[in-house]
Amino acid sequence: MATEKPRQNWAGLFNISFGFFGIQIGFALQNANMSRVFQSLGSSIDDLPALWVAAPLTGLLVQPIIGHLSDKTWLGRLGRRRPFFLLGAVLAALSLLVMPESNVLLMAAVLLWVLDASLNISMEPFRAFVGDMLRKDQHTAGYAVQTAFIGAGAVVGSIFPYLLEHWGVSNEAGPGQIPDTVRYAFWAGGLALFAAVLWTVLTTKEFSPEEMRAFGAGHEAEGQPVRALASRSNSGPFWWVAAGGLLALATEQWGLEKEVYLLAMLLISYGVISHIAIRLARAGKDNNMLAAIVGDFSGMPEIMQKLALVQFFSWSALFIMWINTTPVVAQNFFGSADPTSAAYQEGGNWVGVLFAVYNGVAAVAALTLLPFLSRRFGKVKTHVFGLLCGAAGYASFFFMPDAQWLIVSEIGVGIAWASILAMPYAILARSLPQAKLGIFMGLFNVFVVVPQLLVATVMGSIMKAFFPDQPIWTMAFAAGTLVLAAAAMLRVKVPGES
């Protein structure tokens, strides 16, 4: 009979997730400042989605691989997930230290790729780490604490350039240069990221494989998804390849933005990878990583499939916000679309404040509002409420009289952000096999990444065709997709909830 994991006190919950505080400082610096960096180095607003595509693409490639590997790793005292925390933190910190030295657009784009891959190496195992370390009745509390640290880290990362300017650091830069406020913030963020992850590595002790088996997290069904994959038809991969080919032809025929070719190549690549995985599965390669990942993806639990649609719409809205908030605020509230102007840079700093507000709201909501609503109404209704708050926040951009009032908009966005980071994972952690938390959390990230790739490849074409030089309309798209996410959430059924 399986034994229960020991109950963690608040100090244990703190140590388990404190590393995420540092990781989110890195993500916040990236999200709030990379559009600004790209435009400072000569990028036009139309090229921003293509430059940002590196971020979700690295997550798509890295997270399932890291999840699969971390499920199978055990390095003695260093453990299962912590080696990946440490590796990613070292690489991300180095990327943040080097990023401000970019003097050409290509260098900044490559460093964004490296930075995002490194952050994903650290971040992915943290999701599974909560499930590893906590008993089921503590999952909601564990992900709430993690979300609070995400919010707190994002506040620090988002507001730091604004604070530096008020402390006398120069916020202006000539063409092809990055302001000192951004430069010093990236350097400080790299050091903070490494220190926070090191804290979690040094203050936690993972359960050994023997202990996990005693808790009921065995590997008895290890080869089952691969064997199921072997029985699948070859027609599936063909249709993925055909869809990608048709999309590429449509892009050529209709003159769509060049970024759409990337989406076509991803569809073709998945078809080819699926075909290879099926062949490996039929050859009895149960331990092959590619076959195992594709097999687990094909055999996702039903509740994970329904939550995947919710994530798809939710993260579409978030990525629209991260790409476009700086040009929206600078143009519509500070009166400048010129990245070299003082007004534009002032708008960029105010975006950092706005991002700090929504992340601060998220930190508070994760520990207070969401647990209260979850206990009273259940996780599904709580998440629907959170998503609708975010939709209202985005829609309100059209009605605010000046930039100061956008703080009110960010309250709704912050509640949605807290819910997106906590509720789906708390639901999943109770429903997934413990032995495969890493790979399933990594695969769940596919539905975080694919919408971001879709936004990065398609949004530019939509805006150019229908709303040229009017970036504020991206906020209408963000509001609409969160409404769709809320509708999709109503299809999710959690045992014990009406």
Side-chain angles (χ1 to χ4, degrees):
M1 183 176 179
T3 59
E4 183 62 275
K5 297 173 186 175
R7 190 174 186 83
Q8 295 282 348
N9 57 23
W10 277 103
L13 295 175
F14 179 99
N15 293 336
I16 287 168
S17 290
F18 184 67
F20 229 129
F21 173 73
I23 292 171
Q24 199 59 34
I25 289 176
F27 270 120
L29 286 168
Q30 169 186 296
N31 291 338
N33 294 285
M34 284 312 300
S35 287
R36 181 181 180 183
V37 169
F38 288 147
Q39 289 190 283
S40 296
L41 293 175
S43 171
S44 72
I45 189 172
D46 292 334
D47 291 330
L48 287 181
L51 292 168
W52 269 91
V53 79
L57 184 59
T58 51
L60 181 65
L61 297 173
V62 168
Q63 289 218 23
I65 294 173
I66 296 300
H68 175 83
L69 293 176
S70 69
D71 280 339
K72 298 177 178 299
T73 295
W74 182 256
L75 296 181
R77 294 180 64 182
L78 197 54
R80 174 183 295 104
R81 315 291 182 188
R82 291 179 300 165
F84 298 94
F85 299 167
L86 199 55
L87 173 63
V90 170
L91 295 175
L94 290 174
S95 300
L96 286 167
L97 294 176
V98 175
M99 180 72 78
E101 301 305 311
S102 302
N103 51 18
V104 295
L105 192 57
L106 178 61
M107 180 178 178
V110 170
L111 283 171
L112 173 61
W113 195 296
V114 175
L115 172 61
D116 205 81
S118 305
L119 291 171
N120 275 287
I121 289 171
S122 277
M123 182 185 73
E124 198 286 329
F126 262 103
R127 295 293 191 193
F129 193 52
V130 172
D132 288 345
M133 300 295 290
L134 300 181
R135 40 198 287 168
K136 289 186 176 182
D137 61 358
Q138 286 195 293
H139 283 166
T140 300
Y143 286 109
V145 170
Q146 190 175 91
T147 298
F149 276 128
I150 291 171
V155 168
V156 173
S158 297
I159 205 169
F160 202 43
Y162 177 86
L163 294 177
L164 287 173
E165 182 189 13
H166 282 262
W167 294 336
V169 178
S170 174
N171 188 49
E172 296 184 19
Q177 295 183 335
I178 297 171
D180 284 344
T181 50
V182 175
R183 183 185 305 272
Y184 296 157
F186 272 59
W187 290 344
L191 296 176
L193 185 155
F194 180 74
V197 172
L198 189 62
W199 176 280
T200 289
V201 170
L202 295 177
T203 59
T204 57
K205 179 181 180 296
E206 295 187 66
F207 297 118
S208 69
E210 293 75 21
E211 289 173 311
M212 291 298 287
R213 281 193 288 272
F215 298 143
H219 295 268
E220 63 278 357
E222 188 71 33
Q224 183 177 338
V226 178
R227 290 190 289 273
L229 182 66
S231 64
R232 288 186 173 266
S233 167
N234 286 325
S235 63
F238 168 79
W239 289 114
W240 286 106
V241 172
L246 289 173
L247 183 58
L249 288 173
T251 304
E252 175 70 23
Q253 183 70 28
W254 297 332
L256 301 179
E257 294 293 301
K258 59 184 179 299
E259 294 84 20
V260 182
Y261 282 115
L262 176 60
L263 189 60
M265 288 305 301
L266 285 173
L267 294 173
I268 293 170
S269 297
Y270 181 71
V272 172
I273 288 171
S274 297
H275 176 71
I276 295 171
I278 289 172
R279 290 179 64 89
L280 289 170
R282 288 175 178 172
K285 307 287 186 179
D286 286 4
N287 294 321
N288 180 271
M289 182 172 67
L290 180 62
I293 291 175
V294 175
D296 284 326
F297 185 75
S298 302
M300 287 186 299
E302 182 182 358
I303 194 168
M304 184 172 168
Q305 295 176 30
K306 291 181 177 179
L307 283 170
L309 184 61
V310 179
Q311 292 292 86
F312 178 87
F313 290 124
S314 301
W315 284 85
S316 295
L318 292 171
F319 201 59
I320 289 170
M321 173 185 71
W322 290 329
I323 291 178
N324 294 288
T325 302
T326 294
V328 167
V329 171
Q331 179 173 319
N332 290 85
F333 294 92
F334 286 82
S336 177
D338 179 8
T340 64
S341 68
Y344 183 94
Q345 296 298 337
E346 187 180 357
N349 275 1
W350 186 245
V351 170
V353 175
L354 295 177
F355 280 20
V357 169
Y358 89 71
N359 281 291
V361 169
V364 175
L367 294 177
T368 56
L369 179 63
L370 295 185
F372 168 77
L373 293 176
S374 181
R375 286 192 300 270
R376 183 150 189 174
F377 301 107
K379 296 180 182 65
V380 170
K381 292 178 181 177
T382 297
H383 196 35
V384 169
F385 169 77
L387 293 169
L388 293 178
C389 285
Y394 290 135
S396 69
F397 267 65
F398 286 86
F399 308 107
M400 293 304 175
D402 58 53
Q404 305 292 327
W405 279 93
L406 291 176
I407 289 175
V408 178
S409 304
E410 297 302 320
I411 294 174
V413 175
I415 294 171
W417 179 230
S419 192
I420 290 167
L421 290 174
M423 289 297 112
Y425 295 97
I427 294 170
L428 272 184
R430 294 179 61 88
S431 308
L432 298 176
Q434 287 284 301
K436 289 197 169 187
L437 274 183
I439 180 59
F440 278 126
M441 290 295 185
L443 290 171
F444 195 53
N445 187 64
V446 169
F447 304 100
V448 170
V449 170
V450 168
Q452 296 179 53
L453 289 171
L454 191 63
V455 169
T457 54
V458 175
M459 183 58 69
S461 296
I462 294 174
M463 293 302 296
K464 190 173 182 179
F466 299 103
F467 306 104
D469 301 319
Q470 299 179 64
I472 194 169
W473 284 98
T474 58
M475 294 300 158
F477 284 97
T481 54
L482 279 190
V483 171
L484 291 175
M489 190 65 197
L490 294 174
R491 298 175 59 247
V492 177
K493 304 299 181 185
V494 176
E497 293 186 10
S498 59

